[in-house]
Amino acid sequence: MIEVAQVDDVESRIVTFDEAQEVLACLPNGHPKLDIWHNWAQVQFKGKHWLAELIEVVTICYARMAMRNGSLSANPRAYHNERHINELLLRLVRCTQSQHSTHLSLTGLAILSVFAASHDLRQAEPSKDADDESLVGANEAASYIEVERLINQYPESTLWNSHRLMLLMTMIHASTFGTAGKRSTNFFQGNLSRRLLAQLRFTEQDEELVYLACDIDTANVSLPLNKYAKSAIKVFDELVSHQKAKIPPQQFFSQAQMAYFFDQQHFHSKTARSIFQPEKSRNAKRITAISKTIKDMDAQSSIEAVKNNFIQQAQTLSKPAPE
């Protein structure tokens, strides 16, 4: 565990809020940065003594993601970059705008904000040994250790205590998804969240927060179909470029999409079921149709041909039916 969590150049470079702001000032014009979440947080957490600290922690994580994996990286990732943080934070903001959000406490929303910003901080950790029985991925374990180091920079914090740190750790560890091998069933359908929670004494409200963290991380299934297709392409590109995965594109954009959409991803929090499940359900038949079209393509089709067909089908099916 210590080996995968050592401080790297990015963590050493971005330690303070001022350093994070200097880095984020280098992002191109038009970049969303944290503007929407920041404006929401100022209203949502108004009067809380820990608001300034929360903004600093989320901003530092965001800057590290941009430099390590995203827009300011020499080797950017297509999916796990700072814009993925934006996606999760926007989903979190949306959750608070729903009538189903009354059971989400302010401290819970703050912890979820930090989860969104920190759960993917480390994406290039060495794989665990084959005989490692832990269900938590190396990336997730290292991501939590890094954000815990960051939180410990605020020794007078009134936001964090041992229980809330345990909540954050459980959220991040439970975001391990899709690890191959004989124990892979634990990583789908929220199963790892359930398994980790079974070992802890959390209240029903705490469990809802852990499940919601998992749910907003995989809620791309509820996106408009053309946006879902773009996210799937980003995942594929990152798997090929950074993990050197040998995945036939036809298989990834057909059978693998069906497996992810219908078998591997389920919503478990009450909040996500109310907000995101209806939109996922509306995508179901269209995902099935697209996957069949891709599966029926010529087996010799190029990667670009498969990707172009995938996105074109999604765009076509996203158009409203003529009256």
Side-chain angles (χ1 to χ4, degrees), residues 233-253:
I233 289 172
K234 290 177 181 178
V235 171
F236 176 82
D237 289 346
E238 183 172 318
L239 287 171
V240 172
S241 64
H242 284 76
Q243 297 187 25
K244 310 303 179 186
K246 305 295 183 182
I247 306 175
Q250 257 182 289
Q251 178 182 350
F252 181 84
F253 292 107

Side-chain angles (χ1 to χ4, degrees), residues 60-76:
I60 291 169
C61 289
Y62 193 84
R64 289 179 183 176
M65 277 289 282
M67 180 168 281
R68 188 182 282 142
N69 299 317
S71 301
L72 301 176
S73 170
N75 188 25

Side-chain angles (χ1 to χ4, degrees), residues 23 39 62 68 152 161 163 183 212 214 217 281 288 319:
V23 167
N39 292 335
Y62 193 84
R68 188 182 282 142
N152 285 339
N161 55 35
H163 177 75
R183 302 185 304 281
L212 183 56
C214 178
D217 193 23
S281 298
T288 301
K319 297 177 181 177

Side-chain angles (χ1 to χ4, degrees), residues 119-136:
H119 74 291
D120 282 327
L121 277 172
R122 300 278 189 142
Q123 285 295 306
E125 299 304 307
S127 300
K128 291 187 173 184
D129 295 335
D131 59 352
D132 190 328
E133 291 296 318
S134 171
L135 294 176
V136 177

Side-chain angles (χ1 to χ4, degrees), residues 16-36:
T16 68
F17 181 57
D18 287 344
E19 289 169 343
Q21 288 185 303
E22 289 176 7
V23 167
L24 295 179
C26 299
L27 289 171
N29 292 333
H31 191 287
K33 300 184 180 178
L34 282 166
D35 292 349
I36 292 177

